[in-house]
């Protein structure tokens, strides 16, 4: 999700100010979810509702008929679930139903249907939205989507600092030089509202919309286009480069089916090691589920029982789910999330509490980019941005500001490149947990691709979490936002590879060294070269401290410089001499 605070200078600076008042997405609907009693074994179809256990469901059918409502299995029929799900998942998934036709009467109908026999409970979910920066309005005007006469787009990849080496970036450029590091063999499905699938920089590996009907609002379309660009933008001489340009990307819209059903349907189209990205959040209990322009109190979707069940279904299949933590500025460790709403099932437990059963998703917070990126300063690199939710449940962070990618800015043309042709729009200011999450997805897809290329099984969701928490560039303090307000580390692909593929990493003691203060060719970075295991290995952009330590070790006459390397690049260094 993208947060509501607009930069005060530079591209896209025409937003209203820090309060973001009146900025909401259009088209997100409330959902009325019904949870049946387990023992009733309800089954809903075109002819009405029946009970496989023989219970009397006449009152329920009469209520639905009188109110002209339809009760639909949220995750499909039991027969279909038996074919696609793990056997242990089926009884839980068959309890969830969605009521169609509620319109503005959701709360009134909720209390009435929850009181009926064979119904355990019912609850209303606020509309799920991404969160964005700038003025948003309804737009169904497709006249901007013109494919002829688009201007020649320059190369913007130099503005994508998140691609660079750690700790500033995630080392995507390093991964591109390794087998599988561009995401080959990995599929990512983005769950949200809409996308510009005809964009000039999304042509190579985009599989289109696999479920749901995209919303027509331009702001939604710009948001989804930005997300897909971060992950899978084409790698060429124009526009931007995706983190994993050879991964297959696809889209799943929740419109008409609801968020949980969209997550479930996306997971059904994927295999172990593939990734579902949930780019949505919704108002939580802190401010009584109020839809707000400033997004205060918004939280991750897994707090709602049906969404959590869908995510668990995906992770049980071995599909990695990456979920935006939300832009509510909330501590997800707060006691407010421990209190079970009266409308939730009695067996519900707060999924944000690490001592409870986890959904299995990777929860992503928004961290500051390096100061000076695009001429702006959002605080110390990798510090928590003020809008980002935080807590023990969060696993990793990505850039939450200054992300350069495809698409426009809010409901307008791109602030980096605009014009009449929507397929050639680019933005320099994609932000929030919406921009952070695809950065993490890109890193994970690169790692999964490298594992597959090396003949290894892809990471399970549990393995993904352990790797993200054990490696990466650590979160830093900011004034008033200490690192104890956890959003996790920024992924470091190179460091993760040394943990995941130790057989791909060699080691040895350095015999000679060469410090290239003036590298040739000039476009190469400064580096130290160490002769290890019969060949020269490169340490790019060494710190002054590293340089001095290596100099001192060799000057002593008894150097003890232990090196770990992948191909010709050094991925680890210990100096004891």
């Amino acid at each position: 999700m993208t947060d509501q605070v607009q930069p005060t200078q530079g591209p896209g600076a025409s937003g209203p100010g820090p309060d973001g008042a009146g900025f909401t997405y259009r088209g997100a609907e409330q959902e009325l979810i019904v949870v049946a009693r387990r023992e009733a074994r309800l089954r809903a179809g075109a002819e009405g509702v029946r009970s496989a256990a023989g219970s009397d469901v006449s009152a329920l059918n009469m209520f639905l008929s009188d109110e002209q409502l339809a009760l639909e299995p949220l995750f499909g029929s039991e027969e279909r679930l038996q074919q696609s799900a793990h056997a242990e998942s089926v009884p839980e998934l068959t309890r969830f139903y969605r009521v169609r036709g509620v319109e503005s009467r959701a709360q009134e109908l909720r209390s009435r249907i929850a009181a009926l026999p064979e119904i355990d409970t019912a609850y209303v979910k606020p509309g799920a939205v991404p969160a964005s920066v700038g003025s948003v309005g309804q737009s169904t005007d497709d006249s901007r989507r013109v494919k002829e006469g688009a201007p020649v787009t320059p190369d913007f990849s130099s503005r994508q600092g998140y691609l660079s080496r750690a700790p500033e970036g995630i080392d995507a450029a390093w991964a591109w030089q390794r087998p599988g590091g561009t995401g080959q063999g990995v599929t990512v499905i983005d769950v949200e509202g809409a996308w510009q699938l005809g964009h000039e920089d999304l042509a190579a590996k985009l599989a289109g919309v696999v479920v749901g009907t995209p919303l027509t609002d331009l702001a939604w379309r710009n948001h989804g286009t930005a997300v897909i660009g971060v992950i899978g933008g084409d790698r060429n001489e124009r526009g931007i480069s995706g983190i994993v340009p050879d991964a297959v990307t696809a889209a799943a819209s929740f419109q008409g089916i609801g968020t949980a059903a969209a997550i479930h349907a996306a997971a059904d189209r994927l295999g172990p090691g593939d990734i579902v990205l949930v780019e949505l959040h919704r108002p939580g209990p802190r401010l009584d589920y109020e839809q707000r322009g400033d997004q205060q109190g918004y939280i991750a979707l897994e707090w709602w029982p049906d969404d959590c069940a869908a995510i668990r279904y995906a992770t049980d299949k071995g599909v990695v789910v990456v979920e935006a933590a939300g832009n509510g500025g909330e501590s997800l460790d707060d006691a407010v999330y421990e209190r079970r709403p009266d409308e939730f099932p009695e067996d519900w437990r707060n999924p944000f509490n690490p001592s409870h059963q986890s959904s299995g998703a990777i929860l992503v917070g928004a961290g500051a980019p390096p100061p000076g990126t695009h001429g702006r300063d959002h605080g110390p690199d990798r510090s928590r941005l003020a809008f980002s939710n935080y807590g023990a449940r969060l696993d990793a962070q990505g850039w939450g500001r200054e992300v350069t990618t495809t698409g426009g800015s809010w409901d307008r043309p791109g602030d980096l490149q605009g014009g009449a042709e929507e397929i050639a729009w680019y933005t320099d200011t994609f932000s929030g947990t919406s921009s952070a999450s695809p950065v993490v997805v890109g890193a994970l897809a690169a790692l999964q691709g490298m594992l597959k290329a090396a003949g290894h099984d892809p990471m399970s969701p549990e393995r993904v979490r352990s790797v993200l928490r054990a490696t990466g560039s650590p979160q830093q303090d900011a004034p008033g936002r200490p690192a104890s307000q956890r959003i996790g580390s920024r992924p470091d692909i190179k460091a993760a590879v040394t943990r995941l593929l130790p057989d791909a990493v060699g080691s040895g003691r350095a015999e000679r060294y060469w410090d290239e203060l003036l590298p040739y060719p000039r476009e190469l970075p400064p580096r130290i070269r160490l002769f290890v295991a019969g060949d020269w290995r490169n340490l790019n952009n060494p710190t002054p401290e590293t340089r001095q330590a290596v100099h001192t070790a060799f000057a002593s006459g008894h150097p003890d410089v232990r090196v770990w390397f992948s191909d010709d690049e050094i991925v680890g260094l210990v100096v004891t001499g």
Side-chain angles (χ1 to χ4, degrees):
M1 315 181 173
T2 328
D3 83 290
Q4 299 284 10
V5 182
Q6 184 79 350
T8 56
Q9 296 179 350
S14 57
D19 63 346
F23 289 7
T24 58
Y25 278 88
R26 310 296 179 92
E29 298 178 348
Q30 291 183 331
E31 297 179 51
L32 175 53
I33 304 298
V34 172
V35 186
R37 297 186 186 277
R38 287 187 177 89
E39 61 273 16
R41 298 182 60 199
L42 294 189
R43 303 293 179 263
E47 69 285 355
V49 180
R50 64 182 180 86
S51 168
S55 300
D56 182 4
V57 293
S58 57
L60 175 58
N61 278 312
M62 184 177 300
F63 171 80
L64 295 172
S65 175
D66 289 347
E67 296 293 341
Q68 297 183 326
L69 301 173
L71 194 66
E72 295 182 348
L74 188 59
F75 300 118
S77 67
E78 182 179 17
E79 293 75 18
R80 181 175 175 275
L81 288 171
Q82 290 284 5
Q83 294 172 0
S84 63
H86 300 278
E88 63 271 16
S89 300
V90 173
E92 185 66 18
L93 294 177
T94 57
R95 298 180 64 204
F96 289 99
Y97 292 83
R98 186 169 186 256
V99 182
R100 297 192 66 119
V102 297
E103 298 178 349
S104 61
R105 300 187 299 151
Q107 289 293 350
E108 171 210 343
L109 295 170
R110 186 215 67 77
S111 58
R112 293 172 60 192
I113 198 169
L116 293 171
E118 315 312 335
I119 300 301
D120 184 353
T121 189
Y123 55 91
V124 176
K125 292 164 41 175
V129 295
S132 292
V133 179
S135 174
V136 177
Q138 181 74 15
S139 175
T140 58
D141 178 12
D142 285 351
S143 64
R144 291 172 171 172
R145 295 199 279 177
V146 181
K147 296 190 177 183
E148 289 81 22
V152 177
T153 299
D155 184 354
F156 297 129
S157 59
S158 64
R159 304 184 68 81
Q160 295 179 265
Y162 55 90
L163 300 175
S164 64
R165 67 183 183 91
E168 292 82 7
I170 61 171
D171 258 323
W174 178 86
W176 295 341
Q177 309 306 315
R178 271 69 194 169
T182 54
Q184 295 98 324
V186 181
T187 299
V188 179
I189 298 182
D190 175 34
V191 177
E192 53 177 297
W195 307 262
Q196 172 48 275
L197 301 180
H199 196 282
E200 64 174 11
D201 224 354
L202 303 177
K205 293 288 184 177
L206 186 59
V209 179
V210 296
V211 66
T213 303
L215 291 152
T216 57
D217 190 274
L218 178 59
W220 281 95
R221 200 158 64 234
N222 277 336
H223 187 277
T225 306
V227 169
I228 295 289
V230 172
I231 301 166
D234 298 342
R235 192 174 166 208
N236 49 37
E237 299 302 316
R238 69 180 179 195
I240 55 93
S241 293
I243 297 171
V244 278
D246 288 324
V248 174
T249 52
S253 177
F254 68 87
Q255 183 181 218
I257 61 174
T259 55
I263 294 166
H264 179 270
D268 267 345
R269 288 159 173 79
L270 299 174
D274 291 330
I275 303 172
V276 169
L277 170 58
V278 181
E279 275 283 313
L280 300 163
H281 65 175
R282 58 167 57 94
R286 169 76 67 192
L287 299 173
D288 199 25
Y289 310 100
E290 179 188 2
Q291 201 91 29
R292 298 170 57 96
D294 61 12
Q295 301 174 26
Q296 289 183 29
Y298 281 42
I299 57 175
L301 262 59
E302 67 175 49
W303 196 74
W304 282 266
D306 56 318
D307 290 306
C308 195
I311 293 170
R312 283 179 183 152
Y313 168 79
T315 56
D316 284 347
K317 284 190 62 179
V319 174
V320 177
V321 178
V322 175
E323 184 183 5
N327 297 347
E330 286 284 291
S331 168
L332 300 185
D333 298 332
D334 194 274
V336 68
Y337 301 110
E338 291 291 333
R339 293 194 287 272
R340 179 182 66 85
D342 293 340
E343 299 85 1
F344 280 12
E346 290 189 3
D347 59 0
W348 175 87
R349 297 293 181 272
N350 173 21
F352 299 152
N353 185 335
S355 67
H356 296 160
Q357 181 184 9
S358 170
S359 71
I362 302 303
L363 217 58
V364 178
T373 302
H374 302 162
R376 304 185 186 106
D377 186 347
H378 299 284
D381 185 29
R382 305 186 308 280
S383 61
R384 182 181 76 85
L385 291 166
F387 58 79
S388 179
N389 290 342
Y390 59 95
R393 176 67 182 82
L394 271 70
D395 299 296
Q397 64 165 290
W399 276 32
R401 287 287 197 184
E402 308 300 338
V403 170
T404 301
T405 183
T406 47
S409 177
W410 288 79
D411 64 343
R412 302 168 183 150
D415 51 83
L416 183 58
Q417 177 168 287
E421 293 80 18
E422 187 183 328
I423 61 167
W425 289 353
Y426 294 84
T427 179
D428 227 6
T429 55
F430 190 40
S431 59
T433 50
S434 272
S435 64
S437 297
V439 170
V440 173
V441 166
L444 295 178
L447 291 169
Q448 300 285 50
M450 284 188 274
L451 285 167
K452 290 187 175 185
H456 294 261
D457 291 334
M459 291 182 286
S460 67
E462 295 81 5
R463 181 65 167 152
V464 167
R465 172 173 286 115
S466 68
V467 168
L468 288 174
R469 286 176 172 253
T471 64
S473 303
Q475 179 180 350
Q476 298 199 98
D477 293 327
R481 301 188 301 279
S484 58
Q485 296 178 345
R486 178 184 171 84
I487 57 171
S489 298
R490 179 181 296 157
D492 178 345
I493 296 173
K494 187 187 294 187
V497 166
T498 66
R499 187 177 185 89
L500 292 168
L501 294 170
D503 52 339
V505 178
S507 66
R509 182 175 293 177
E511 304 172 33
R512 288 174 278 166
Y513 85 104
W514 184 266
D515 192 351
E516 292 188 345
L517 296 174
L518 295 174
Y520 182 84
R522 296 181 65 179
E523 59 267 19
L524 290 176
R527 60 185 177 175
I528 287 180
R529 306 188 72 204
L530 296 166
F531 192 81
V532 184
D535 207 347
W536 288 99
R537 318 291 176 180
N538 304 315
L539 179 62
N540 292 328
N541 291 313
T543 65
E545 293 78 14
T546 300
R547 276 200 160 96
Q548 184 59 51
V550 171
H551 291 329
T552 302
F554 277 91
S556 72
H558 302 284
D560 187 3
V561 181
R562 187 73 179 178
V563 177
W564 285 262
F565 57 88
S566 177
D567 297 332
D568 65 343
E569 290 212 23
I570 294 170
V571 297
L573 186 72
V574 174
V575 181
T576 57

